[in-house]
Amino acid sequence: MLRFFSSVWSRSLLCLFLLAAVASTCGIAPALAQENGAPRDETLFGSVQSSGGYGAPTVALTTLNGETAAMVGGQGGWVLNRRFVVGGALRGIAPRPDVTLRGRSSSAPESAQVQLGYAGLLLEYIGASSNLLHYGGTLVVGGGNVELVGDQGFRAGPSVSDDSVERSAVFAAEVGARAELNVTRFFRIGLSGGYRLVSGAALEKAAVSDGDLSAPYGQLSLRFGSF
């Protein structure tokens, strides 16, 4: 499983950083064209301009099924007018608390662990981006899966889905506020807090409800890109 998490983590970060690089290029090109005196096209949304993009690994402290858990992932997107971000986010719960299985056969295990992962559209607001310390807001809307998996711990091996006892698709959303520190022109540190809402969990083999999967969180993000 450790290899699985490492593979997903590496591929996610690579995609996010490629997204940041492309978005940064898109933001720099129009600025250079205007500096060289090139005419500006008239557009329906003329005030919307790309100013860059970023990618960020994230780690958060939250609860899952009433137990403290770490949530890891990544996010990134295009920065518009140095104020708005449109992109994507990926989240996954690392430690998985045990739950007692119900309606099991005599040969089935007594318990399993809860695994939650989701991805979705990322929308962010950045206030006073030029200030050393500034603020922002975050909204993530998407979906994923909640699974009951074998109690194997963090071991090397295949995807946790291969050990799945039961799986259910869920809707997931995050809303939060953020404090952000400009470390360099291309690196920022974000500290945010918010609430994760999960809906649609339908697990028959364990008493895990939407309320058990929904919880407040505190998150650290390391943001690299052009802002």
Side-chain angles (χ1 to χ4, degrees):
M1 186 190 302
L2 184 59
R3 287 200 302 267
F4 168 72
F5 276 115
S6 299
S7 176
V8 172
W9 178 263
S10 301
R11 293 177 183 178
S12 300
L13 289 184
L14 178 59
C15 291
L16 290 171
F17 286 127
L18 287 176
L19 175 63
V22 172
S24 300
T25 303
C26 293
I28 292 171
L32 291 177
Q34 291 188 28
E35 288 180 2
N36 293 332
R40 181 175 177 179
D41 294 336
E42 293 183 359
T43 61
L44 182 61
F45 300 99
S47 60
V48 178
Q49 300 177 26
S50 175
S51 55
Y54 82 91
T58 63
V59 59
L61 188 65
T62 184
T63 61
L64 183 67
N65 198 33
E67 296 188 24
T68 302
M71 181 170 66
V72 297
Q75 63 186 54
W78 278 276
V79 181
L80 306 174
N81 293 0
R82 305 198 69 199
R83 188 175 296 270
F84 303 101
V85 176
V86 179
L90 176 71
R91 307 281 192 253
I93 302 294
R96 304 169 305 183
D98 289 331
V99 292
T100 301
L101 295 178
R102 56 192 180 188
R104 63 184 183 85
S105 63
S106 57
S107 60
E110 295 183 358
S111 65
Q113 295 181 314
V114 181
Q115 172 73 26
L116 174 65
Y118 57 93
L121 173 69
L122 169 72
L123 300 175
E124 287 188 316
Y125 174 78
I126 306 173
S129 179
S130 298
N131 292 354
L132 176 65
L133 183 63
H134 52 276
Y135 62 94
T138 301
L139 174 66
V140 176
V141 179
N145 287 310
V146 57
E147 294 180 284
L148 299 177
V149 296
D151 185 5
Q152 302 295 332
F154 280 91
R155 62 177 176 81
S159 163
V160 294
S161 297
D162 294 344
D163 300 324
S164 180
V165 176
E166 187 180 10
R167 183 186 312 161
S168 174
V170 295
F171 165 83
E174 296 177 8
V175 59
R178 181 181 71 260
E180 198 169 298
L181 177 68
N182 295 346
V183 180
T184 69
R185 294 183 62 184
F186 59 85
F187 173 47
R188 298 182 174 187
I189 297 176
L191 185 63
S192 59
Y195 190 81
R196 178 184 69 255
L197 174 66
V198 178
S199 177
L203 296 175
E204 298 180 353
K205 297 182 179 181
V208 179
S209 66
D210 293 341
D212 296 323
L213 303 175
S214 303
Y217 67 87
Q219 179 173 277
L220 174 69
S221 59
L222 305 179
R223 299 163 173 249
F224 298 90
S226 174
F227 303 93

